[in-house]
Structure formats: C-alpha cells, structure tokens
Amino acid sequence: MKPVELIKDIFWVGVVDWNKRNFHGYSKSPLGTTYNNFLIKDEKVTLIDTVEREFLEEMLCSITQVIGKEGKIDYVVVNHLEPDHAGCLDEIVKRFKPEKILTSPMGEKAMKAHFHYTDWPVEVVPTGSEVSIGKHTLQFIETRMLHWPDSMLTYVPEAKIAFSNDAFGQNWATSERFADEVDRSTLEKRMAEYYANIVLPYSPVVQKTLTSLAEKELEIEMLCPDHGLFFRGEDVAFAIDKYMEFARQEPKNKAVLVYDTMWQSTEKMAKAIATGLVDEGVSVRLMSVKSNHHSEIMTEVFDSAAVLVGSPTHNNGILPGMADVLTYMKGLRPQNKIGAAFGSFGWSGECVKVLNEWLESMNFETVEPGSVKVKHIPTHETYGECYDLGRKVGQAIKAKLGL
Ligand code: FEO
C-alpha cells in the first residue's frame, strides 16, 4: 500500500480489505472494509492504532515509506484493543521498541488480557490528559462503550484532526479516502449499516458522548474513523449530525416483515399483511430469514417504525432461523418499535405466543389484536385477518409519527 498524507506530516498508513464479507464473524460487509491507522511525523514519531494481523506486511510497507527503513516509532496510541485495530501491536512493540504505549484506563486492562506482557512501556491517558510529541499535541477523550469499555478518541489540536476509532466508521473498501469523493447515498447506507449492527445498543452513550464533545468545543476539521472514509470540512458536521440522528432512533414510515416459512403458509400471510400496510401508505420490506442475513435484516429494522415477525410452529416453538434473528435483534436493543406476530401451525400452535414473548422482551409496542395465527393453509377469511393486521399496524405507525 501507499501511505496518504492527510495533512502535513500526518499520514494514513492503513489497509483496504477488499475481500472482507463477514465483519467480525457476525455482520455482513458486502463492499469490504478498511482498517485505518495513522502515523504522525514529529520529534516523537507516533503511530495511532494498527490493523488486522493478516495485513501486517502491508501496513509496515506504508510505515516504511514514511519513516524510511531505519525509522523509529517512538509512541504508539491504542484507541481500542479489538484485533482489527490492535492486531499488530505486539509486532510493532517487538520491531520498534516504542518509548510509550498510550491507552485509556480500560485499555490498559484489555491490553494486559490480550497480550499478557510484563514489560511494555504502557502509559494510561484518561480523559483530559495530553502528551506533546513536538509540534503536535495528543489529547485523549475516553469514549467508553462506543463500543468497547476501552474505546478512546485522540484529538490533535494543531491539525484539528480527531481520530475516532470505530465511531463514525463504515464498512466500505474504496480507493478514495474522503467522504466527499464517493457516492453520498452509498456512504449513508454504509454508515447506517455499521451503526445498526455495531453501535446501536450503545445509542444512549453515543448521545452523551457527542454532547460532551460538543461542550468541549473541539475544532474538528477532519474526522478520521478506523473504518471507511474520512470526513473533512462541512462533512464533519454531517457525520456528527448523522450519528445524533442514528442515536435518537427516530422511526420512519416503514415496516419490516421478518419471517421464516416451511410450506409457504406463513409467507403467504406475510404478503397479505404487507398489502394492508401498503394500503395505509407504509413503506414495506418483506425479509425472509432464508434470503437475508440477520445483519441485513437489522439494517432495515434500524429505522423502521414497525417490525412484524412470523414463523410457523415447529417442535412447540419457532423455526431456528427466526430464533437466530430475534436473538441478534434483541442484543442490539432497537427502540421505538411497534411489534406484531403471525404464523401458521398444524396442531399445537405455539408460534405466535413465542413470537409475542420475544416482542415483549424487546419492549415493542403492540396493537390490538397484535397477532394472527392460521391453521395449515390460509383461507379467504384468514387472509382478511392478515390484511386487517397490516392495516392496524399501518394506522398505529401513522398515529405514532403524527402522519
Ligand atoms: Fe473496528 Fe471494535 O473494532
């Protein structure tokens, strides 16, 4: 790779992972990702974060192009210990023997647990601390639970750059480095996808952190996350506003029907419910768990006003594909949703009861009646019940959004 000088003496030395399709083993990344890290040339040469281990050589190649073969790295900043950012830390320590490794208080704990070192020169930098590296200063702000306890942001006031680690990230492998060089709608989609699948459960923390950053009145002219594109100029405010919008979880006039089906009865029910929703003017997504990965479903659920879940009864419960999606969804703690359940059955018929328990456990609002159950094959009457459920949920959405 070739380093990119973002501003005088501050370089991107990260890598583009064009082929990543399964981010962290649980979230789809259909357009790949990047691992961004940074090198500041100053009296104390400083590396901010590393990359995934398999890209060690590519990162070292970029670093060498900036500091030369005999060059030193004096300080290493570890904004976050997850292996996509600290995966090469031990190699950097071994090769460059830095004078200081700077990390948050929780970062020190995580670093010990990850690397089991005994003699690394770790210096803890809680919120408010700063370290001079020559012409530049590093200021540290902990961003706990955005999205790990150790997460931290590093700000360089002289350059007006904030290195935000995972916050503001997007999974998108590109040859461009800046948000103002790429298609805007794809960028927003990638931001939402990343937020919905990685950051969503920490939305209250995001609001608190952004408020506290605003109070600090940091002048930020460039915002550099560790994944995806960087924001500069007016795009900095765009990214921060977008995150505030995400964190508020304000629903749109949109419903997602998530379902699994065995002999298509539940699928036929989903289509009838969808018709009722459409007739109420709601934008609908029909998502079979067989055709859509749980992270793709969650990206659509994220900004929807209603989530309708369907499964036939299977072994006195629901189909395993639905259980997977519901487990994933619950963990991400979506807020402000209306919920409803539907499903077919042959004899015992527990599906709707089980689905309603899931909806209740996620504090979804319900409509009356909040579910439809069909024995074996839908009839003219039960199709009507499905359609009516769609209408009822559609009306509840409109009432909720004041439409
Ligand atoms: Fe990009 Fe939390 O790792």
Side-chain angles (χ1 to χ4, degrees), residues 127-128 139-142 153 155 209-219:
T127 296
Q139 297 181 346
F140 304 100
I141 299 165
E142 291 167 69
L153 175 151
Y155 176 64
T209 306
L210 292 182
T211 305
S212 120
L213 282 179
E215 283 164 6
K216 289 184 199 313
E217 295 183 349
L218 301 184
E219 248 189 290

PDB file of all heavy atoms in Angstrom, residues 127-128 139-142 153 155 209-219:
ATOM      1  N   THR A 127      -9.315  10.599  30.114  1.00  0.00           N
ATOM      2  CA  THR A 127      -9.884  11.812  29.515  1.00  0.00           C
ATOM      3  C   THR A 127      -9.257  13.055  30.134  1.00  0.00           C
ATOM      4  O   THR A 127      -9.129  13.156  31.350  1.00  0.00           O
ATOM      5  CB  THR A 127     -11.412  11.837  29.758  1.00  0.00           C
ATOM      6  OG1 THR A 127     -11.981  10.742  29.067  1.00  0.00           O
ATOM      7  CG2 THR A 127     -12.034  13.134  29.262  1.00  0.00           C
ATOM      8  N   GLY A 128      -8.861  13.966  29.286  1.00  0.00           N
ATOM      9  CA  GLY A 128      -8.289  15.225  29.777  1.00  0.00           C
ATOM     10  C   GLY A 128      -6.777  15.236  29.723  1.00  0.00           C
ATOM     11  O   GLY A 128      -6.156  16.302  29.789  1.00  0.00           O
ATOM     12  N   GLN A 139      -4.391  14.838  22.512  1.00  0.00           N
ATOM     13  CA  GLN A 139      -5.359  14.966  23.611  1.00  0.00           C
ATOM     14  C   GLN A 139      -6.266  13.748  23.582  1.00  0.00           C
ATOM     15  O   GLN A 139      -6.690  13.321  22.497  1.00  0.00           O
ATOM     16  CB  GLN A 139      -6.184  16.242  23.456  1.00  0.00           C
ATOM     17  CG  GLN A 139      -5.320  17.501  23.548  1.00  0.00           C
ATOM     18  CD  GLN A 139      -6.151  18.779  23.423  1.00  0.00           C
ATOM     19  OE1 GLN A 139      -7.308  18.757  23.023  1.00  0.00           O
ATOM     20  NE2 GLN A 139      -5.527  19.894  23.763  1.00  0.00           N
ATOM     21  N   PHE A 140      -6.577  13.235  24.756  1.00  0.00           N
ATOM     22  CA  PHE A 140      -7.312  11.965  24.802  1.00  0.00           C
ATOM     23  C   PHE A 140      -8.688  12.133  25.451  1.00  0.00           C
ATOM     24  O   PHE A 140      -8.823  12.820  26.467  1.00  0.00           O
ATOM     25  CB  PHE A 140      -6.491  10.919  25.563  1.00  0.00           C
ATOM     26  CG  PHE A 140      -5.122  10.731  24.958  1.00  0.00           C
ATOM     27  CD1 PHE A 140      -4.009  11.353  25.514  1.00  0.00           C
ATOM     28  CD2 PHE A 140      -4.966   9.972  23.806  1.00  0.00           C
ATOM     29  CE1 PHE A 140      -2.754  11.203  24.945  1.00  0.00           C
ATOM     30  CE2 PHE A 140      -3.712   9.820  23.222  1.00  0.00           C
ATOM     31  CZ  PHE A 140      -2.599  10.436  23.787  1.00  0.00           C
ATOM     32  N   ILE A 141      -9.661  11.503  24.840  1.00  0.00           N
ATOM     33  CA  ILE A 141     -11.024  11.526  25.374  1.00  0.00           C
ATOM     34  C   ILE A 141     -11.554  10.091  25.351  1.00  0.00           C
ATOM     35  O   ILE A 141     -11.657   9.482  24.273  1.00  0.00           O
ATOM     36  CB  ILE A 141     -11.945  12.441  24.516  1.00  0.00           C
ATOM     37  CG1 ILE A 141     -11.405  13.871  24.539  1.00  0.00           C
ATOM     38  CG2 ILE A 141     -13.387  12.383  25.015  1.00  0.00           C
ATOM     39  CD1 ILE A 141     -12.002  14.764  23.466  1.00  0.00           C
ATOM     40  N   GLU A 142     -11.837   9.557  26.527  1.00  0.00           N
ATOM     41  CA  GLU A 142     -12.409   8.206  26.553  1.00  0.00           C
ATOM     42  C   GLU A 142     -13.814   8.224  25.968  1.00  0.00           C
ATOM     43  O   GLU A 142     -14.590   9.146  26.239  1.00  0.00           O
ATOM     44  CB  GLU A 142     -12.470   7.704  27.994  1.00  0.00           C
ATOM     45  CG  GLU A 142     -11.115   7.422  28.602  1.00  0.00           C
ATOM     46  CD  GLU A 142     -11.225   7.230  30.097  1.00  0.00           C
ATOM     47  OE1 GLU A 142     -11.793   6.216  30.521  1.00  0.00           O
ATOM     48  OE2 GLU A 142     -10.762   8.129  30.830  1.00  0.00           O
ATOM     49  N   LEU A 153     -10.881   8.348  21.913  1.00  0.00           N
ATOM     50  CA  LEU A 153     -10.672   9.221  20.744  1.00  0.00           C
ATOM     51  C   LEU A 153      -9.405  10.029  20.995  1.00  0.00           C
ATOM     52  O   LEU A 153      -9.183  10.495  22.113  1.00  0.00           O
ATOM     53  CB  LEU A 153     -11.894  10.118  20.587  1.00  0.00           C
ATOM     54  CG  LEU A 153     -11.928  11.222  19.535  1.00  0.00           C
ATOM     55  CD1 LEU A 153     -13.384  11.454  19.083  1.00  0.00           C
ATOM     56  CD2 LEU A 153     -11.357  12.540  20.037  1.00  0.00           C
ATOM     57  N   TYR A 155      -7.347  13.409  19.804  1.00  0.00           N
ATOM     58  CA  TYR A 155      -7.519  14.685  19.082  1.00  0.00           C
ATOM     59  C   TYR A 155      -6.173  15.402  19.017  1.00  0.00           C
ATOM     60  O   TYR A 155      -5.428  15.439  20.004  1.00  0.00           O
ATOM     61  CB  TYR A 155      -8.550  15.547  19.820  1.00  0.00           C
ATOM     62  CG  TYR A 155      -8.751  16.925  19.237  1.00  0.00           C
ATOM     63  CD1 TYR A 155      -9.257  17.100  17.949  1.00  0.00           C
ATOM     64  CD2 TYR A 155      -8.441  18.068  19.983  1.00  0.00           C
ATOM     65  CE1 TYR A 155      -9.441  18.361  17.413  1.00  0.00           C
ATOM     66  CE2 TYR A 155      -8.640  19.345  19.459  1.00  0.00           C
ATOM     67  CZ  TYR A 155      -9.132  19.479  18.170  1.00  0.00           C
ATOM     68  OH  TYR A 155      -9.322  20.741  17.639  1.00  0.00           O
ATOM     69  N   THR A 209     -21.886  11.049  24.684  1.00  0.00           N
ATOM     70  CA  THR A 209     -20.509  11.333  24.225  1.00  0.00           C
ATOM     71  C   THR A 209     -20.501  12.507  23.256  1.00  0.00           C
ATOM     72  O   THR A 209     -19.647  13.403  23.364  1.00  0.00           O
ATOM     73  CB  THR A 209     -19.908  10.084  23.540  1.00  0.00           C
ATOM     74  OG1 THR A 209     -20.022   8.987  24.432  1.00  0.00           O
ATOM     75  CG2 THR A 209     -18.454  10.296  23.177  1.00  0.00           C
ATOM     76  N   LEU A 210     -21.454  12.527  22.329  1.00  0.00           N
ATOM     77  CA  LEU A 210     -21.479  13.629  21.353  1.00  0.00           C
ATOM     78  C   LEU A 210     -21.795  14.949  22.044  1.00  0.00           C
ATOM     79  O   LEU A 210     -21.229  15.991  21.691  1.00  0.00           O
ATOM     80  CB  LEU A 210     -22.491  13.334  20.248  1.00  0.00           C
ATOM     81  CG  LEU A 210     -22.138  12.182  19.306  1.00  0.00           C
ATOM     82  CD1 LEU A 210     -23.190  12.027  18.228  1.00  0.00           C
ATOM     83  CD2 LEU A 210     -20.773  12.370  18.658  1.00  0.00           C
ATOM     84  N   THR A 211     -22.676  14.902  23.047  1.00  0.00           N
ATOM     85  CA  THR A 211     -22.989  16.124  23.794  1.00  0.00           C
ATOM     86  C   THR A 211     -21.739  16.613  24.519  1.00  0.00           C
ATOM     87  O   THR A 211     -21.412  17.806  24.502  1.00  0.00           O
ATOM     88  CB  THR A 211     -24.131  15.850  24.796  1.00  0.00           C
ATOM     89  OG1 THR A 211     -25.222  15.315  24.062  1.00  0.00           O
ATOM     90  CG2 THR A 211     -24.569  17.103  25.528  1.00  0.00           C
ATOM     91  N   SER A 212     -21.036  15.681  25.140  1.00  0.00           N
ATOM     92  CA  SER A 212     -19.846  16.104  25.893  1.00  0.00           C
ATOM     93  C   SER A 212     -18.744  16.590  24.947  1.00  0.00           C
ATOM     94  O   SER A 212     -18.014  17.539  25.264  1.00  0.00           O
ATOM     95  CB  SER A 212     -19.412  14.984  26.826  1.00  0.00           C
ATOM     96  OG  SER A 212     -18.140  14.542  26.561  1.00  0.00           O
ATOM     97  N   LEU A 213     -18.646  16.003  23.749  1.00  0.00           N
ATOM     98  CA  LEU A 213     -17.662  16.504  22.766  1.00  0.00           C
ATOM     99  C   LEU A 213     -18.026  17.918  22.324  1.00  0.00           C
ATOM    100  O   LEU A 213     -17.158  18.783  22.193  1.00  0.00           O
ATOM    101  CB  LEU A 213     -17.619  15.586  21.544  1.00  0.00           C
ATOM    102  CG  LEU A 213     -16.851  14.275  21.680  1.00  0.00           C
ATOM    103  CD1 LEU A 213     -16.923  13.473  20.395  1.00  0.00           C
ATOM    104  CD2 LEU A 213     -15.397  14.523  22.045  1.00  0.00           C
ATOM    105  N   ALA A 214     -19.330  18.143  22.136  1.00  0.00           N
ATOM    106  CA  ALA A 214     -19.773  19.485  21.720  1.00  0.00           C
ATOM    107  C   ALA A 214     -19.440  20.509  22.800  1.00  0.00           C
ATOM    108  O   ALA A 214     -19.014  21.630  22.513  1.00  0.00           O
ATOM    109  CB  ALA A 214     -21.264  19.472  21.427  1.00  0.00           C
ATOM    110  N   GLU A 215     -19.595  20.090  24.075  1.00  0.00           N
ATOM    111  CA  GLU A 215     -19.292  21.013  25.180  1.00  0.00           C
ATOM    112  C   GLU A 215     -17.807  21.363  25.237  1.00  0.00           C
ATOM    113  O   GLU A 215     -17.428  22.434  25.667  1.00  0.00           O
ATOM    114  CB  GLU A 215     -19.734  20.379  26.511  1.00  0.00           C
ATOM    115  CG  GLU A 215     -21.244  20.476  26.708  1.00  0.00           C
ATOM    116  CD  GLU A 215     -21.754  19.532  27.802  1.00  0.00           C
ATOM    117  OE1 GLU A 215     -20.929  18.878  28.484  1.00  0.00           O
ATOM    118  OE2 GLU A 215     -22.982  19.445  27.938  1.00  0.00           O
ATOM    119  N   LYS A 216     -16.991  20.440  24.803  1.00  0.00           N
ATOM    120  CA  LYS A 216     -15.539  20.710  24.812  1.00  0.00           C
ATOM    121  C   LYS A 216     -15.149  21.679  23.695  1.00  0.00           C
ATOM    122  O   LYS A 216     -14.029  22.184  23.665  1.00  0.00           O
ATOM    123  CB  LYS A 216     -14.759  19.399  24.635  1.00  0.00           C
ATOM    124  CG  LYS A 216     -14.822  18.482  25.841  1.00  0.00           C
ATOM    125  CD  LYS A 216     -13.961  17.266  25.627  1.00  0.00           C
ATOM    126  CE  LYS A 216     -14.292  16.102  26.542  1.00  0.00           C
ATOM    127  NZ  LYS A 216     -14.465  16.358  27.940  1.00  0.00           N
ATOM    128  N   GLU A 217     -16.065  21.914  22.784  1.00  0.00           N
ATOM    129  CA  GLU A 217     -15.863  22.854  21.668  1.00  0.00           C
ATOM    130  C   GLU A 217     -14.562  22.562  20.904  1.00  0.00           C
ATOM    131  O   GLU A 217     -13.803  23.477  20.586  1.00  0.00           O
ATOM    132  CB  GLU A 217     -15.901  24.295  22.173  1.00  0.00           C
ATOM    133  CG  GLU A 217     -17.269  24.664  22.720  1.00  0.00           C
ATOM    134  CD  GLU A 217     -17.363  26.115  23.163  1.00  0.00           C
ATOM    135  OE1 GLU A 217     -16.322  26.792  23.250  1.00  0.00           O
ATOM    136  OE2 GLU A 217     -18.491  26.565  23.417  1.00  0.00           O
ATOM    137  N   LEU A 218     -14.323  21.292  20.646  1.00  0.00           N
ATOM    138  CA  LEU A 218     -13.144  20.940  19.845  1.00  0.00           C
ATOM    139  C   LEU A 218     -13.359  21.462  18.436  1.00  0.00           C
ATOM    140  O   LEU A 218     -14.432  21.306  17.868  1.00  0.00           O
ATOM    141  CB  LEU A 218     -12.984  19.423  19.755  1.00  0.00           C
ATOM    142  CG  LEU A 218     -12.820  18.606  21.030  1.00  0.00           C
ATOM    143  CD1 LEU A 218     -12.585  17.143  20.687  1.00  0.00           C
ATOM    144  CD2 LEU A 218     -11.674  19.134  21.865  1.00  0.00           C
ATOM    145  N   GLU A 219     -12.335  22.065  17.909  1.00  0.00           N
ATOM    146  CA  GLU A 219     -12.420  22.472  16.498  1.00  0.00           C
ATOM    147  C   GLU A 219     -11.976  21.282  15.662  1.00  0.00           C
ATOM    148  O   GLU A 219     -10.800  20.900  15.687  1.00  0.00           O
ATOM    149  CB  GLU A 219     -11.447  23.631  16.284  1.00  0.00           C
ATOM    150  CG  GLU A 219     -12.147  24.956  15.987  1.00  0.00           C
ATOM    151  CD  GLU A 219     -11.123  25.975  15.570  1.00  0.00           C
ATOM    152  OE1 GLU A 219     -10.334  26.402  16.450  1.00  0.00           O
ATOM    153  OE2 GLU A 219     -11.074  26.325  14.382  1.00  0.00           O
TER     154      GLU A 219
END
